[in-house]
Amino acid sequence: MASKDDDEKKEANPIVNANAKEIEVDYDTIDDKQLIEKLKKNASEVLIIDARDPDPEEGDYIGGNIKGAVNIPSFDFVDKLPEIITSKNLEEKKTIIFTCMMSKGRGPQIYKLYNKARDTLTKDADKGGDDAKKDDEFSKIVSTIKLDDKCKTLLKDQKAFVLKGGFHGFLNYNKDTEKDLIENYNEKYWEVTQLQGDDNEGLALYHTNEQ
């Protein structure tokens, strides 16, 4: 179930405030245009993980997603790490993108968990003896992931980003011009909202479960 205080509140829409100052974040980001360029150039090398809640009644995934995105809700992400960090994915996916509705909460959260797992798996064995002995649930799950040296190098070199603006921004910016990159779109799950404020006046689509 999506958290009420997560990043899906109807805040001032970042996509209509073109003059807003960039907020410093502690993770690497990619914007919608950069992602579109990557998808059009070689979509097979990009893995998109969408952390939205798939619950059909109270979740926020239903109603549309970026084409090819894999839905792994944030509350299942750690358990799914062995299915994400695989030899096949590492050989094929040079870039991994994390997103949610607005990429303010769950997207950055799973990005950091992925990088934590990546650091654990790629560090030199002689430097990480203590960490390897941890018995917390995260460490137990990551310890089940077995990679050879080649895959460890691929994992270390893989580019990871959080999608700026999340699916909300991607949809509002590109629903008319990049329809082939948006799948499962259903307009009944989106409502047009009038934004208020000197810098944020305009219309934007927001997700809703009210039918």
Side-chain angles (χ1 to χ4, degrees):
M1 183 183 300
S3 173
K4 296 297 184 183
D5 60 353
D6 202 356
D7 53 17
E8 288 68 41
K9 290 182 179 179
K10 292 182 180 179
E11 304 174 20
N13 181 10
I15 72 164
V16 297
N17 188 359
N19 297 319
K21 293 182 178 179
E22 284 286 332
I23 298 175
E24 290 187 9
V25 293
D26 57 351
Y27 48 84
D28 294 324
T29 62
I30 188 171
D31 64 31
D32 61 303
K33 299 306 179 188
Q34 292 170 317
L35 175 55
I36 289 170
E37 182 179 356
K38 283 184 176 293
L39 292 175
K40 289 186 173 181
K41 183 177 181 180
N42 199 340
S44 65
E45 292 188 353
V46 180
L47 174 60
I48 302 172
I49 296 181
D50 192 322
R52 289 179 290 159
D53 188 340
D55 187 282
E57 295 183 358
E58 298 187 39
D60 56 350
Y61 185 75
I62 190 170
N65 57 271
I66 299 172
K67 184 177 181 180
V70 178
N71 180 215
I72 302 178
S74 56
F75 47 80
D76 284 338
F77 185 76
V78 173
D79 288 335
K80 295 292 185 180
L81 278 170
E83 299 175 29
I84 301 169
I85 304 177
T86 64
S87 298
K88 184 176 186 296
N89 274 345
L90 292 172
E91 290 171 358
E92 295 178 356
K93 309 300 182 183
K94 308 304 181 187
T95 302
I96 184 166
I97 310 294
F98 300 97
T99 187
C100 54
M101 183 58 81
M102 292 185 178
S103 288
K104 293 182 179 180
R106 294 166 292 177
Q109 176 190 17
I110 64 172
Y111 166 96
K112 292 174 182 178
L113 287 169
Y114 187 83
N115 271 350
K116 181 179 178 182
R118 174 159 64 175
D119 290 345
T120 299
L121 292 166
T122 59
K123 67 189 174 186
D124 294 335
D126 59 349
K127 294 181 180 179
D130 293 339
D131 287 343
K133 296 178 181 178
K134 288 184 178 179
D135 59 1
D136 61 277
E137 193 64 22
F138 178 88
S139 297
K140 286 181 180 179
I141 291 171
V142 172
S143 71
T144 67
I145 302 172
K146 305 302 181 184
L147 302 174
D148 59 22
D149 290 341
K150 175 185 175 183
C151 286
K152 288 180 181 180
T153 298
L154 290 171
L155 178 59
K156 189 174 183 179
D157 293 342
Q158 188 183 55
K159 305 299 182 184
F161 303 97
V162 173
L163 176 62
K164 292 175 66 174
F167 181 68
H168 169 86
F170 193 93
L171 176 66
N172 276 280
Y173 269 132
N174 303 291
K175 64 183 177 65
D176 296 323
T177 58
E178 303 291 349
K179 292 181 179 180
D180 59 326
L181 294 180
I182 297 172
E183 60 185 7
N184 302 314
Y185 177 71
N186 189 332
E187 63 181 4
K188 74 178 183 179
Y189 290 101
W190 301 89
E191 62 182 9
V192 178
T193 300
Q194 176 68 52
L195 302 169
Q196 304 296 326
D198 294 338
D199 296 326
N200 295 301
E201 293 178 356
L203 296 173
L205 290 171
Y206 278 90
H207 191 271
T208 178
N209 291 93
E210 298 178 4
Q211 305 302 313

